[in-house]
Amino acid sequence: TSPARDFPVLYLLHGYTDSNAKWFGQKDHWINLPVLIDSIDLPEEDQFIVVMPNAYNTFHGSMYSNSSTTGNWEDFISEELVAHMDENYRTIKDPAGRGLAGHSMGGYGTVKIGMKNADVFGALYMMSPCCLENSLPTNAGLIKNLLKVTDPSQFESQPFFVRISLAAAAAWSPNPNKPPMYIDFPFDENGEAIDSIAQRFKSHEIIPNLSTHLNDLQELDQISIDVGSQDFMIRNSAETLHQELEKLGIENAFEIYEGDHTNQIGQRLGSDILPHFADYFREGNN
C-alpha cells in the first residue's frame, strides 16, 4: 500500500535453544511473533520490517559470536544480513532506520554486536541479556561433567548448563584443528582453569570490555535494558550493565518488571518493545 516508501528494520535475535521455527509459529512455543505483530495496531506511517535470523545450531545456539567452529555470527548480522535486506527490500539505509533487539542470548548478541557497529544500528534493546560477565564456569560438578563430553553424539543428553557451556566454548574458544568437538576447553583434566583459554572466554564478556567500545556506545541513539524481577540468574548482571554504562556516561534506560526469564516476553514485545521501536523510527526518520 506504500510503494514509494522505504521502511525501517528491526533485527530481532532469539535466545539459546530457540529458533526462527519456534518464534515464527512452526513449533508450539511461548511466542508466535507474526501473530503478535499482526495484533499491534500501528498507523501505516509507523510500520516497519522485523527480521529474525535462525541462530540455532549443533550446540543449540551460536552466541552471536565470530567462531571458526560455528561461523562468524557477528559479521553475518552486522554485514551480510543487513546488506541482504538493503539490497532486496525497500529499507532505510542508515542507522536511524535500523534497530537491534534480542532476548537472553539474543540480548547478549544485541549489546555485543551493537556496541561495535554504531554505524549500522541506531538503537539497542536488550531483554534479559545473558552472559554479560563471569562467563567461565566455576562449579566443580559442572566442570567435571563438561570434561566428560568428548564427542558431539553426547551433546543432546547433557543437562542445560552443560549444553550452554559447550555452546559458549564452541563460540568463544573454538579450535578447528581439534576434532571431534572442535573446542578448546578452558580447563585441564583436573578441572583447573587454563589461563590462555580462560582469557579467550573473558574477552567475550560484555561488562569488563565496555570501555573498549566507548566511541561506538557514545554514537548510539538509544540503549534500553529490561529484566524480570524473578529472573534470578540474570537480574543482577543486567542491573550492573546499566550501572556500568552510567559510569561511562552512556545514557540508557533500565527497567525491572514483574516476571521471570520468559513468562512476560511475548506480552512485553507487543506492549513495550515493538511500540518503542515504532517511536524511535518515527522520531529518527521524520
Side-chain angles (χ1 to χ4, degrees):
T1 59
S2 303
R5 184 184 167 204
D6 290 337
F7 289 85
V9 182
L10 172 61
Y11 294 85
L12 185 58
L13 309 181
H14 63 72
Y16 184 70
T17 75
D18 278 355
S19 64
N20 64 317
K22 288 183 177 181
W23 276 63
F24 277 69
Q26 289 104 343
K27 293 184 178 181
D28 187 29
H29 199 39
W30 45 263
I31 189 169
N32 185 317
L33 188 61
V35 171
L36 175 65
I37 290 172
D38 286 343
S39 72
I40 301 171
D41 187 20
L42 284 179
E44 185 171 333
E45 61 270 19
D46 284 350
Q47 292 176 358
F48 55 92
I49 300 168
V50 181
V51 179
M52 175 174 282
N54 178 18
Y56 186 88
N57 61 13
T58 301
F59 294 94
H60 294 187
S62 69
M63 310 307 291
Y64 298 103
S65 300
N66 283 348
S67 165
S68 53
T69 291
T70 56
N72 289 344
W73 276 89
E74 286 185 59
D75 294 346
F76 172 71
I77 301 295
S78 63
E79 298 174 15
E80 295 176 43
L81 184 57
V82 169
H84 175 81
M85 290 302 299
D86 286 349
E87 289 167 7
N88 292 279
Y89 296 85
R90 287 184 283 111
T91 61
I92 295 173
K93 298 172 177 60
D94 62 58
R98 301 190 195 102
L100 184 62
H103 171 244
S104 193
M105 180 185 77
Y108 167 79
T110 294
V111 63
K112 180 172 192 168
I113 296 169
M115 71 181 184
K116 300 177 183 180
N117 294 281
D119 59 332
V120 179
F121 304 102
L124 312 181
Y125 200 116
M126 292 152 263
M127 298 173 278
S128 305
C130 79
C131 317
L132 300 175
E133 59 181 343
N134 304 321
S135 59
L136 196 70
T138 56
N139 179 277
L142 173 58
I143 294 170
K144 182 178 179 180
N145 287 333
L146 278 171
L147 293 172
K148 291 179 181 177
V149 182
T150 58
D151 189 272
S153 63
Q154 300 170 275
F155 181 84
E156 295 290 341
S157 62
Q158 300 305 312
F160 175 84
F161 286 106
V162 173
R163 285 184 280 122
I164 196 170
S165 297
L166 290 168
W172 301 336
S173 57
N175 187 340
N177 298 312
K178 198 171 182 180
M181 295 296 290
Y182 301 99
I183 290 172
D184 280 330
F185 283 106
F187 308 99
D188 62 23
E189 62 274 9
N190 298 314
E192 298 294 324
I194 301 171
D195 287 343
S196 60
I197 303 174
Q199 287 304 316
R200 292 167 66 188
F201 253 65
K202 292 176 182 179
S203 71
H204 290 272
E205 294 176 358
I206 300 301
I207 291 171
N209 296 300
L210 285 172
S211 59
T212 306
H213 306 288
L214 187 57
N215 289 340
D216 275 286
L217 287 165
Q218 291 170 334
E219 290 297 317
L220 289 162
D221 295 330
Q222 290 185 5
I223 300 175
S224 302
I225 309 161
D226 69 21
V227 66
S229 56
Q230 283 85 52
D231 195 350
F232 301 115
M233 294 290 293
I234 288 177
R235 175 176 167 172
N236 288 345
S237 60
E239 189 163 12
T240 299
L241 174 60
H242 159 64
Q243 293 167 347
E244 292 302 313
L245 287 168
E246 294 277 300
K247 288 178 185 177
L248 291 170
I250 306 299
E251 185 176 346
N252 67 102
F254 177 66
E255 180 183 359
I256 299 174
Y257 58 86
E258 188 66 26
D260 59 29
H261 190 60
T262 59
N263 71 342
Q264 297 297 319
I265 299 302
Q267 184 271 326
R268 288 184 59 80
L269 271 165
S271 63
D272 294 78
I273 287 83
L274 295 176
H276 168 88
F277 279 101
D279 292 341
Y280 168 71
F281 291 139
R282 184 192 319 114
E283 292 168 4
N285 295 288
N286 285 335

